[in-house]
Amino acid sequence: MAKSKEVFVCQSCGAAAPKWQGQCATCGEWNTLVAELQAANPRKASEAKRARIDVSASLAVEASAETARLPTGSAELDRVLGGGLVPGSVTLIGGDPGIGKSTLMLQAAAALNASGPVLYATGEESLKQVALRARRLGLEAATARLIAETCVESIVGAAAGLTAHVLIVDSIQTMYSERVEAAPGAVSQLRECTAELVRFAKASGTAVLLVGHVTKEGQIAGPRVLEHMVDTVLYFESDTGSRYRVLRSVKNRFGAANEIGVFAMLEQGLREVTNPSAIFLSRHAEPVAGSVITVMREGTRSLLIEVQVLADDSLGANPRRVAVGIDGNRLTMLLAVAHRHGGLLLQGQDVFANVVGGVRLAETAGDLAIVMAARSSLNNAPVPSSLIAFGELGLAGEIRPVPFGEERLREAAKHGFKHAVVPEANVPKRPPEGMTVRGVTRLNQALEAF
């Protein structure tokens, strides 16, 4: 029998130390080292399997043999995955408790069963609880196999015996491996269980979907090495109290990163939103001051969002700058540029900026819309509801072009917008039908456009 040795493993980064210390030498976190028993590897090098490596296959031959993807039954989930599940891939899905991870996986299991056997392994619920949730979602007729198990070796054995095309594990933090003497959820268990599932996926061609818990910071619990081990990492995002869910791809070896899918949480489960721009736009009965529509780019999708800015007289010595959905430092910089090159007197004004719908505007294409909304609020001069604006603002007051300008204009025209203020370099040779596009190179030109 192999002997076990005690090591101290950091629960933040996964680094191991031979003795306890207050601070992890690798990540610098305090009081994160926990004692774990680590079994020595009983297999000797002489007893290891020696597989013969076939070096005759070339990269061109392997690339030409493209494998068909497995449709998940949801166009939004397929979009985020890059067109569907790739056989042999490992996908990690994280999100806040109750956001809909298990619901999405159960719905996907019912649809994926048409492509082949599906095994749903649950470590958090009993089989009766999963059956009750399936009945509530209207999935009683689904023939996906269920197993309530937390031992990863047993799950892999059951999937191999079933010749499953898809294996769903809910969740990876509840799993344990017999080769590691630690409690489920420990760093060593997470790493070994994920490694075992990755080996199984690559050897058998089974697509593996892992559900992961997140920490209070919003990151998947456990060391970041888990995200490096898997092929795809997806995150569920949602505003508190909102029924809409955004599924974002932060890593994807088989598709575009930063792609998003939009869902609505209903009593019958998650339903895909085919026109996300409609939920992010709050069309007012008449134009209001401080509101400007811009077009942001998420992966391969263009989304119309509403940027709102409120400028009000400050009652304190230091005016406030509050940004929701926008980087606070960037808002401060844009207001300084607007003062220097646009003549906006905001020194004694509290400025509040918000992106409607709970979306985060992370790209610079919304700079022009933010400054235009600030001017509109300061002068109480509404921007026409048929106008959209996008463009990056430089410190010298210049308007810089942004990627995918023509695609953004087409999306705006599809929703009925008639006028656009964009960087000069983004003006297409043939504007979308029914839309007038005005190109600008300086901030003062853009502010004079309405």
Side-chain angles (χ1 to χ4, degrees):
M1 182 176 179
K3 295 183 179 180
S4 300
K5 62 178 181 179
E6 186 180 55
V7 296
F8 294 86
V9 181
C10 176
Q11 302 302 299
S12 178
C13 67
K19 61 181 181 179
W20 185 87
Q21 51 194 15
Q23 185 182 30
C24 175
T26 302
C27 66
E29 294 292 330
W30 288 89
N31 300 322
T32 57
L33 293 180
V34 176
E36 295 182 4
L37 291 177
Q38 193 174 72
N41 191 354
R43 296 177 296 179
K44 298 181 181 179
S46 59
E47 300 173 352
K49 295 182 180 180
R50 299 179 180 179
R52 181 171 297 177
I53 301 176
D54 183 11
V55 297
S56 61
S58 66
L59 181 62
V61 173
E62 293 299 321
S64 64
E66 185 177 355
T67 306
R69 294 177 181 253
L70 305 176
T72 63
S74 169
E76 292 296 298
L77 179 56
D78 287 342
R79 171 193 287 272
V80 177
L81 291 171
L85 272 178
V86 175
S89 65
V90 182
T91 302
L92 180 62
I93 302 176
D96 294 332
I99 202 169
K101 303 183 297 296
S102 299
T103 298
L104 180 64
M105 290 299 96
L106 196 59
Q107 291 179 274
L112 285 165
N113 194 71
S115 304
V118 176
L119 179 62
Y120 188 102
T122 174
E124 299 182 341
E125 299 176 289
S126 66
L127 296 182
K128 289 185 178 180
Q129 289 174 320
V130 177
L132 285 174
R133 182 152 48 87
R135 185 179 307 166
R136 176 175 59 84
L137 300 176
L139 304 175
E140 304 98 322
T143 55
R145 303 296 181 90
L146 299 178
I147 178 174
E149 180 61 65
T150 56
C151 178
V152 70
E153 285 84 6
S154 300
I155 294 173
V156 168
L162 185 62
T163 319
H165 284 204
V166 179
L167 170 62
I168 300 175
V169 178
D170 186 7
S171 64
I172 188 62
Q173 276 81 10
T174 62
M175 300 295 143
Y176 74 93
S177 173
E178 296 176 340
R179 292 191 290 271
V180 179
E181 298 183 28
V187 169
S188 54
Q189 285 286 8
L190 286 173
R191 189 157 41 196
E192 180 59 32
C193 291
T194 304
E196 179 68 23
L197 292 169
V198 170
R199 287 192 293 267
F200 169 70
K202 304 307 178 185
S204 64
T206 300
V208 178
L209 293 167
L210 308 177
V211 175
H213 297 167
V214 297
T215 62
K216 60 182 180 181
E217 290 82 15
Q219 302 294 328
I220 293 180
R224 295 301 296 268
V225 70
L226 297 185
E227 300 187 19
H228 294 285
M229 294 169 65
V230 301
D231 299 306
T232 306
V233 180
L234 309 179
Y235 276 97
F236 256 124
E237 303 172 357
S238 176
D239 255 6
T240 304
S242 173
R243 66 178 183 140
Y244 294 107
R245 309 287 190 265
V246 175
L247 184 64
R248 184 183 303 276
S249 168
V250 298
K251 173 189 175 182
N252 194 348
R253 290 174 178 163
F254 312 110
N258 209 33
E259 187 68 82
I260 68 167
V262 184
F263 299 85
M265 176 61 80
L266 307 176
E267 292 184 1
Q268 298 78 23
L270 287 168
R271 294 293 181 266
E272 57 189 81
V273 177
T274 57
N275 185 16
S277 295
I279 66 174
F280 299 136
L281 290 178
S282 55
R283 295 297 183 92
H284 304 280
E286 57 184 23
V288 297
S291 174
V292 177
I293 307 299
T294 188
V295 190
M296 66 182 291
R297 188 78 177 178
E298 289 283 2
T300 60
R301 169 180 269 165
S302 297
L303 296 177
L304 271 69
I305 58 173
E306 180 182 358
V307 176
Q308 293 182 338
V309 176
L310 174 62
D312 193 22
D313 294 335
S314 177
L315 300 179
N318 297 318
R320 300 181 62 192
R321 302 289 186 260
V322 179
V324 178
I326 305 169
D327 181 67
N329 292 329
R330 188 156 193 89
L331 174 63
T332 303
M333 184 194 74
L334 293 176
L335 296 180
V337 176
H339 172 256
R340 172 65 67 88
H341 301 284
L344 299 189
L345 302 178
L346 297 167
Q347 297 91 332
Q349 302 284 320
D350 290 331
V351 179
F352 305 89
N354 177 47
V355 179
V356 175
V359 183
R360 181 160 187 83
L361 182 57
E363 63 172 352
T364 58
D367 291 355
L368 182 56
I370 295 172
V371 175
M372 291 177 66
R375 179 182 185 272
S376 172
S377 177
L378 181 65
N379 298 336
N380 196 25
V383 175
S385 58
S386 60
L387 183 142
I388 62 113
F390 60 81
E392 179 182 353
L393 183 60
L395 292 179
E398 75 277 14
I399 306 296
R400 298 176 177 270
V402 297
F404 306 101
E406 193 167 349
E407 288 83 351
R408 298 173 197 258
L409 290 173
R410 284 202 299 265
E411 179 69 17
K414 187 172 68 175
H415 286 81
F417 287 87
K418 304 298 183 183
H419 307 280
V421 180
V422 302
E424 183 69 36
N426 284 131
V427 177
K429 294 181 179 179
R430 298 185 61 182
E433 186 177 355
M435 174 177 280
T436 302
V437 180
R438 177 174 178 179
V440 293
T441 58
R442 303 290 302 175
L443 177 60
N444 54 355
Q445 296 175 349
L447 298 179
E448 293 170 358
F450 67 97

